[in-house]
Amino acid sequence: CSQLASCQSRLAVSLLRQSFSLSAPMAEYHLSAQLHGHEDDVRGICICGDVGVATSSRDKTVRFWTQHPEKKREYVLSKTLVGHSSFVGPMVWAPPSDRFPEGAIVSGGMDTLVLLWNLHTGEVVGTMKGHTSQVTGLAIDDNGDIISSSMDCTLRRWRDGNAVEVWEAHKVAVQTVLKLPSGELFTGSSDSTIKLWKGRTCLHTFSGHAADTVRCLAQMPGMGILSASHDGTIKLWALTGQPLLEMIGHTSLVYSVDAHSSGLIASGSEDRSVKIWKDGICVQSIEHPGCIWDAKFLDNGDVVTACSDGVVRIWTTDNNRFCSDEELATYTDIISQYTLTRKTVGGLKLMDLPGVEALQVQGNNDGQTLIVREGDNGVAYSWNSKELKWDKIGEVVDGPGDAAQGQVYDGAHYDFVFNVDIGDGEPIRKLPYNRSDDPYAVADKWLLKENLPLTYRQQVVEFILQNSGQSNFVPDPSFRDPYTGGNAYVPGEPSSSNGSAPKQTFKHIPKNGMLLFETAQFEGILKKITVFSATLASDSEQKHLSLSEADFSRLAAIVKVLKNTSFYHTSKLADADIVLLLKILKSWPSQMMFPVVDFLRMFVLHPDGATLLLKTIESGNDVLMETFRKAVAIPVHSPNVLTILKAVTNLFDNSCLHQWLKTHCAEIIDSFSSCKPSFSKSAHLAYATLLLNYSVLSIESKDEQSQAQILSAALEIAEDDAQDADSKYRALVAIGSLMLNGLVKSIALDLDVKSVTSSAKASMDSKIAEVGA
């Protein structure tokens, strides 16, 4: 098998070399243009033929750029497409047609929507709703059908705005979908596999990435498909499923890959670089001031990159399209400053060191050492207690093997590249390593790559530590072995019986128990019901809907019971009580229902109230779901939405209603999400509370699909700068709880939870900052 794989790899390289001339030297890419306009991370790129370039962003917009009419290397913002309520990711181009003379763009977002845009008007002409989690990939079939993939594990085929096919493509999140001109349809998933589809039938499953997410797929013209993975590699596959080539060089998650007709390949990574590959070898690494979410080739061979700093950049090998010296100098300075913030001296992060002003403060004892930042260097001083001054010791420098003296391997810089002799006549193996890496993670990845037994793990770790001079290395207590779930083994320390470290504890997460809305102004509720009843009584056609004196007496009696919360364990509610409430909810006009829904909110907090409601539902009369649908129906009436949000949130108080909540989870969250544009501040808080309660319930029931939907909705709140602090806090607690105790940690990482937590850590609100940390 290994000989066959080797043969296939040599064949792949041979074919790659035949795809373009090797006689001409490889020209380097240089900065050509920078497109400023997005207000947050640029997440996706869509090449729209020769018409222009579309980009999507965390700022909730799609922007369309066209070439400058005179300055051909420059692009101008033509249209800003606003319609998504959360960050926008994948896009696909529909060429000009009778319906769309200037073409159309299809976009998918974290808001679960697929939108069709008319480029001539810049307006949404189609809204496709059905996914229950983030849309991750899009493709257009030959007949014009739109195919979308989602974190909800499904593929959907849309025709004229309607879903004509829906099927579960993978058991976990689908990350990308690719449709080839020859007809093949491929999906990549967080389950580390790629699947080839014919209709809804999986013809073949490609396995080869090291148990990590397949994030992006692209066509390799004339050869097969490319895959980019969170395992840090790019792979080339034949359409029959054989792995032909592996490209290793990125030092972090690889988010995107694309190929050009010349045979060149471009990949973008969290390591802040775009790498250009030729014959499977990295020939250039282009550094950026942030994570690279996407990279695409233009027909002319230029490369467009989408960066987390909010800037779209175009790179070219044509010196006629190079940017000006001034623009290049500015960009170089940005990179230098970005690198400086991450520079270390003597193992210390330069930007974390105090400035020279720290020398104005006297030391505590003679000989005390202080390292301060002076320009780009760290300088050590010693306190002289006799003369009451700091004496300069000298500049702090990195020791042998530090990053300044690093080595290059497969186009990437490393602090060390070790030669490993495993004996038995085997060739010397290369093991790249950075001081900032976890040696256990490096060892695991290297052993998998080299197809060596995992039993060598501790030997490899000790080899790394000895040869990198890290004899004082302390493992990260949060590290977990990907195979055993245990923490890193430390020689000389006894391991626990189950091989894992004590579980970490945190201040705010995970959440246990439910949050409720337990206070009510019963007098105000009854007054509103009285007013509405009188209005109905004055209308000859609706008079029969008004309440009688007996009805009002019963409502007053219920209020008396509900107010005495200390006696809930002994007080009783009657069947007639729930019958009255549900009769009103069912018969009254929707614009009058909100005070009765508010009454129901308090009614279900009483154990008898919850039991009576469940009894009604189990009899086949689910008036609760009927009331919910009526309250969120279009046109949305804000008081209805707020009161039903709080009422559903209070259902979590009694376990007898938990099954109803689990059964209708998807519809409830999806419906409330659709109502978000009409939310008041109180409704936003209630929605965040509902999601927090649902996170607790879904963790208890181990419902991964519900957890994924809840996670996606909570992330949407957490990353919304317009949200108030309390709503953000509750959303973050839901996210943290799901990551710690749920089944969706990998999905959260795929959804860029790192960026959300980074923003939270910087918050002025102490609770938000603590959860983020």
Side-chain angles (χ1 to χ4, degrees):
C1 289
S2 62
Q3 288 176 339
L4 176 60
S6 176
C7 176
Q8 289 168 341
S9 296
R10 289 196 297 272
L11 175 61
V13 172
S14 173
L15 290 170
L16 280 167
R17 287 175 173 162
Q18 291 172 27
S19 64
F20 54 89
S21 172
L22 290 177
S23 58
M26 170 67 193
E28 281 205 346
Y29 279 90
H30 293 263
L31 182 63
S32 175
Q34 299 187 86
L35 283 53
H36 296 272
H38 282 296
E39 299 169 5
D40 213 329
D41 297 45
V42 186
R43 293 298 299 247
I45 297 166
C46 179
I47 308 301
C48 304
D50 57 1
V51 178
V53 175
T55 55
S56 62
S57 169
R58 185 181 289 278
D59 67 11
K60 307 176 186 177
T61 70
V62 172
R63 300 187 188 233
F64 184 67
W65 312 81
T66 55
Q67 262 191 328
H68 192 287
E70 297 172 359
K71 303 173 184 177
K72 293 301 181 183
R73 76 168 183 86
E74 296 183 10
Y75 280 74
V76 293
L77 180 59
S78 173
K79 287 184 175 66
T80 299
L81 312 181
V82 180
H84 284 284
S85 62
S86 185
F87 80 69
V88 193
M91 296 172 292
V92 66
W93 162 244
S97 62
D98 292 340
R99 183 184 179 191
F100 303 114
E102 295 181 24
I105 291 173
V106 184
S107 62
M110 192 172 181
D111 56 10
T112 74
L113 300 179
V114 177
L115 300 183
L116 174 64
W117 305 85
N118 184 340
L119 266 185
H120 176 67
T121 61
E123 295 178 348
V124 175
V125 292
T127 300
M128 285 148 274
K129 183 178 176 182
H131 284 297
T132 59
S133 191
Q134 179 189 353
V135 179
T136 55
L138 292 167
I140 294 183
D141 211 341
D142 296 337
N143 64 353
D145 286 355
I146 296 167
I147 302 168
S148 60
S149 64
S150 168
M151 286 279 185
D152 65 13
C153 310
T154 68
L155 282 181
R156 288 175 182 261
R157 177 180 290 273
W158 308 87
R159 188 174 299 152
D160 300 325
N162 300 309
V164 294
E165 277 190 314
V166 181
W167 72 97
E168 184 181 83
H170 295 259
K171 294 297 182 183
V172 296
V174 188
Q175 292 286 351
T176 181
V177 61
L178 173 68
K179 178 72 169 55
L180 298 187
S182 51
E184 293 88 352
L185 182 71
F186 294 89
T187 56
S189 167
S190 292
D191 63 10
S192 78
T193 70
I194 300 163
K195 290 183 182 291
L196 168 62
W197 299 89
K198 182 176 183 180
R200 297 172 57 170
T201 303
C202 178
L203 299 180
H204 192 69
T205 299
F206 302 10
S207 300
H209 284 289
D212 217 333
T213 296
V214 176
R215 186 59 176 261
C216 179
L217 298 173
Q219 181 186 14
M220 185 71 195
M223 295 196 66
I225 63 169
L226 294 160
S227 60
S229 170
H230 286 190
D231 65 9
T233 69
I234 300 104
K235 290 182 184 290
L236 172 63
W237 308 79
L239 297 184
T240 51
Q242 294 94 339
L244 301 176
L245 196 65
E246 181 179 53
M247 286 157 269
I248 299 175
H250 283 292
T251 58
S252 190
L253 316 182
V254 186
Y255 290 136
S256 66
V257 65
D258 194 34
H260 188 252
S261 57
S262 66
L264 291 181
I265 295 167
S267 57
S269 166
E270 194 178 66
D271 65 10
R272 302 188 297 108
S273 75
V274 167
K275 294 189 182 295
I276 306 298
W277 307 83
K278 178 181 179 181
D279 298 349
I281 297 170
C282 180
V283 292
Q284 187 179 355
S285 188
I286 307 172
E287 191 174 5
H288 283 65
C291 162
I292 304 301
W293 289 113
D294 202 1
K296 291 281 196 304
F297 281 104
L298 293 169
D299 285 345
N300 62 8
D302 288 358
V303 176
V304 187
T305 58
C307 185
S308 63
D309 68 348
V311 181
V312 181
R313 295 182 175 87
I314 300 177
W315 307 82
T316 187
T317 58
D318 183 346
N319 55 18
N320 294 318
R321 294 198 298 274
F322 289 176
C323 68
S324 66
D325 292 342
E326 292 79 10
E327 190 174 359
L328 180 60
T330 301
Y331 181 72
T332 303
D333 185 57
I334 291 172
I335 293 294
S336 298
Q337 290 298 316
Y338 193 90
T339 304
L340 179 63
T341 63
R342 284 150 178 77
K343 181 180 178 182
T344 60
V345 288
L348 302 172
K349 192 172 181 181
L350 184 64
M351 295 305 290
D352 288 345
L353 297 177
V356 292
E357 64 276 3
L359 299 175
Q360 302 300 316
V361 180
Q362 294 187 3
N364 296 320
N365 49 65
D366 192 52
Q368 176 187 345
T369 301
L370 177 66
I371 301 175
V372 298
R373 184 180 72 255
E374 293 185 11
D376 292 353
N377 301 305
V379 180
Y381 288 82
S382 176
W383 178 246
N384 185 331
S385 58
K386 290 183 180 180
E387 300 182 22
L388 297 178
K389 67 169 188 169
W390 290 98
D391 293 331
K392 185 175 181 177
I393 300 173
E395 187 177 316
V396 179
V397 297
D398 288 319
D402 280 332
Q405 302 176 358
Q407 302 174 57
V408 177
Y409 177 68
D410 273 351
H413 290 271
Y414 293 91
D415 297 346
F416 306 93
V417 178
F418 301 120
N419 291 320
V420 183
D421 183 1
I422 63 173
D424 298 326
E426 292 283 340
I428 297 294
R429 315 287 179 99
K430 298 288 185 181
L431 196 167
Y433 175 72
N434 289 310
R435 281 181 177 272
S436 59
D437 293 338
D438 186 309
Y440 290 88
V442 171
D444 289 334
K445 184 174 178 179
W446 183 77
L447 289 170
L448 283 169
K449 174 181 174 290
E450 298 293 342
N451 197 27
L452 295 171
L454 293 173
T455 52
Y456 288 176
R457 182 185 193 226
Q458 190 57 37
Q459 289 176 256
V460 175
V461 170
E462 291 173 358
F463 173 89
I464 291 172
L465 296 178
Q466 179 181 345
N467 286 278
S468 62
Q470 291 179 284
S471 56
N472 61 344
F473 170 78
V474 178
D476 180 351
S478 67
F479 174 79
R480 290 291 178 270
D481 184 296
Y483 308 100
T484 67
N487 61 321
Y489 163 73
V490 182
E493 291 189 7
S495 59
S496 62
S497 59
N498 63 2
S500 62
K503 192 172 184 179
Q504 285 184 289
T505 56
F506 302 93
K507 187 173 179 180
H508 300 277
I509 53 177
K511 177 74 175 73
N512 295 307
M514 306 298 182
L515 292 180
L516 307 170
F517 295 98
E518 299 176 282
T519 59
Q521 297 294 328
F522 282 108
E523 289 74 16
I525 293 172
L526 288 175
K527 184 178 180 181
K528 200 68 177 176
I529 292 174
T530 303
V531 170
F532 284 161
S533 180
T535 301
L536 292 170
S538 65
D539 186 327
S540 59
E541 294 183 2
Q542 296 183 310
K543 185 176 182 179
H544 65 287
L545 301 178
S546 62
L547 302 182
S548 64
E549 287 298 324
D551 292 335
F552 280 115
S553 296
R554 182 167 291 281
L555 288 177
I558 297 172
V559 167
K560 187 175 181 180
V561 173
L562 296 181
K563 278 186 173 181
N564 293 323
T565 55
S566 301
F567 295 94
Y568 273 14
H569 61 293
T570 57
S571 59
K572 295 289 182 183
L573 291 169
D575 288 351
D577 297 334
I578 188 70
V579 169
L580 173 62
L581 286 179
L582 296 182
K583 183 188 80 170
I584 301 171
L585 288 170
K586 194 166 185 176
S587 62
W588 275 21
S590 61
Q591 67 270 24
M592 293 183 175
M593 68 187 293
F594 65 88
V596 192
V597 174
D598 215 19
F599 203 111
L600 181 68
R601 166 177 70 90
M602 302 305 296
F603 189 86
V604 296
L605 292 179
H606 192 290
D608 254 13
T611 303
L612 289 169
L613 181 59
L614 179 63
K615 183 179 174 183
T616 305
I617 293 170
E618 289 179 339
S619 71
N621 181 22
D622 193 349
V623 184
L624 181 56
M625 180 47 66
E626 186 180 331
T627 300
F628 170 79
R629 290 170 179 159
K630 187 176 176 181
V632 298
I634 297 173
V636 175
H637 190 48
S638 295
N640 286 351
V641 173
L642 176 60
T643 51
I644 197 66
L645 263 168
K646 291 183 175 182
V648 174
T649 300
N650 280 4
L651 297 178
F652 288 87
D653 186 46
N654 283 285
S655 58
C656 70
L657 292 171
H658 284 183
Q659 185 56 51
W660 185 92
L661 287 161
K662 287 189 284 187
T663 300
H664 299 288
C665 174
E667 181 179 352
I668 289 170
I669 295 177
D670 192 38
S671 297
F672 281 136
S673 178
S674 300
C675 296
K676 281 179 67 180
S678 67
F679 276 9
S680 61
K681 180 180 177 181
S682 298
H684 279 295
L685 179 62
Y687 181 52
T689 309
L690 174 82
L691 293 176
L692 180 52
N693 285 354
Y694 255 129
S695 71
V696 175
L697 183 62
S698 66
I699 289 169
E700 290 175 356
S701 60
K702 297 181 172 58
D703 184 345
E704 183 175 0
Q705 188 167 347
S706 293
Q707 288 178 29
Q709 185 183 11
I710 297 159
L711 173 73
S712 179
L715 280 167
E716 199 171 333
I717 297 172
E719 66 177 4
D720 185 355
D721 293 334
Q723 292 284 345
D724 68 279
D726 287 336
S727 298
K728 269 198 171 186
Y729 168 72
R730 294 185 182 188
L732 285 164
V733 171
I735 295 164
S737 301
L738 289 166
M739 291 185 71
L740 282 174
N741 286 357
L743 304 169
V744 290
K745 183 175 181 180
S746 63
I747 295 177
L749 294 171
D750 293 341
L751 287 170
D752 193 28
V753 72
K754 290 182 183 179
S755 178
V756 172
T757 54
S758 177
S759 297
K761 283 167 65 177
S763 173
M764 298 299 291
D765 186 283
S766 59
K767 290 191 302 181
I768 291 177
E770 287 167 358
V771 180

